Amino acid sequence: MRRLFPLPDPNDPAGARAAADREWGLDELADAYAYPAGERPWLRANMVSSLDGAAQHDGKSQPLSSDSDMRIFGTLRGLADAVVVGAETVRQEGYRPARARDAFAERRAAAGQAPAPAIAVVSASLDLDFSLPLFTSPLVPTLVLTGASAPPARVAAAEKAGAEVLVAGDGTGVDPARAVEALAGRGLRRLLTEGGPRLLGQFVGSGVLDELCLTVSPTLTSGTAQRIAYGADRAVPERFALASLLEEAGFLFTRYRRT
C-alpha cells in the first residue's frame, strides 16, 4: 500500500521509501483515519465505486472490493461508535452484528467506547426480519431509527427482539439531521454510514455528511447499478477537500472532508 497524499517529506527519503510499497499496519490505518477531536458528532461515509460509477454489482458491493478495502472497512468500523445503515442494505448485504476485535480493544477502551460499534438501521416501515442475529444476539444492542408514524406493531416487534427504537422524524420517514442528533444523544458521536446509496443520498442532500471515504475500484461494470449516492439534487454542489489518498494494486482509497 502506497501513501500518495499527503506526500512524504522530500527531506526524508528514507521515510518516503518506508511509506511506499508496503502493507500498512492496523495501528497506522487507525491513526490515519482517526476521528477529529471535539464533542460534536462527526458523520463519515465509507463506500466503494467502480471506475464507471457503479456502487454495486448484482446488488452487492463485495464484487468491487479487495482485501485492502476490507482492511480499511474493518478499521473504520473499529473506530466508530455506531454504524448507520439503510434497511435495504441490511436486507441485500445480509448484515450481522459488529464484532469486537482485539486489534482495537485497547484503543476503544481508552476512548470510552463499547467493545464494538452499535448497528443503527434506518427504516420507515420497519420491514425487517427481527429474528436475525443482528437483532437477537448483537454484542451491543442494535438501534432502529424510524419516524413517529412507524407501524406500532413493527415497533413492538423490534423492541421484543431486543432492539432500541429511536424516533428521528415526525412522519413515517427519518430526518437525517435528527438521526445524527438522536445517536449523539446516546453518546454515539463517531458515526459511520455504509449506505446504501439512497441513505447516503439523504445525508448528502441534508448537508450533514462531514467526510467521505471512497474506494475507487479498478473495475468496469456497465449495467444499471446505482451510484454511491442517490436522491434529490442539491441546489448547489457541496465542495469537499482531499484529506488523504492511498493506493494498492490499482485501488485508490480516498478520504474527503467538507471544506
Side-chain angles (χ1 to χ4, degrees), residues 60-238:
K60 295 187 176 182
S61 59
Q62 190 279 330
L64 306 179
S65 187
S66 68
D67 289 345
S68 292
D69 183 46
M70 294 309 298
R71 290 181 73 236
I72 291 176
F73 172 92
T75 298
L76 295 181
R77 280 196 165 199
L79 297 173
D81 295 330
V83 178
V84 189
V85 61
E88 185 61 22
T89 297
V90 167
R91 290 187 286 264
Q92 288 186 350
E93 302 276 359
Y95 259 61
R96 298 183 62 83
R99 59 188 178 90
R101 297 181 60 188
D102 291 342
F104 298 100
E106 185 175 344
R107 187 182 293 262
R108 293 186 68 86
Q113 295 174 291
I119 303 295
V121 184
V122 177
S123 177
S125 67
L126 276 66
D127 180 18
L128 297 160
D129 183 353
F130 293 118
S131 69
L132 294 175
L134 176 62
F135 300 101
T136 61
S137 57
L139 182 62
V140 179
T142 294
L143 306 171
V144 177
L145 293 156
T146 192
S149 299
R154 299 305 296 164
V155 172
E159 293 175 337
K160 183 178 180 180
E164 181 181 357
V165 178
L166 304 180
V167 174
D170 294 328
T172 56
V174 170
D175 177 83
R178 286 183 58 180
V180 171
E181 292 171 1
L183 293 169
R186 294 294 192 279
L188 308 173
R189 67 172 187 82
R190 304 173 189 90
L191 304 177
L192 169 68
T193 181
E194 297 169 352
R198 187 176 297 274
L199 179 62
L200 181 55
Q202 292 171 356
F203 284 134
V204 171
S206 296
V208 297
L209 186 71
D210 297 296
E211 181 178 326
L212 173 64
C213 298
L214 176 64
T215 296
V216 180
S217 171
T219 54
L220 290 168
T221 68
S222 189
T224 58
Q226 289 180 323
R227 49 197 264 190
I228 65 166
Y230 172 82
D233 290 341
R234 287 186 58 92
V236 178
E238 187 173 13

Side-chain angles (χ1 to χ4, degrees), residues 41-58:
W42 185 271
L43 176 64
R44 70 165 35 138
N46 182 34
M47 301 291 284
V48 61
S49 171
S50 68
L51 293 175
D52 52 341
Q56 304 157 339
H57 184 67
D58 283 342

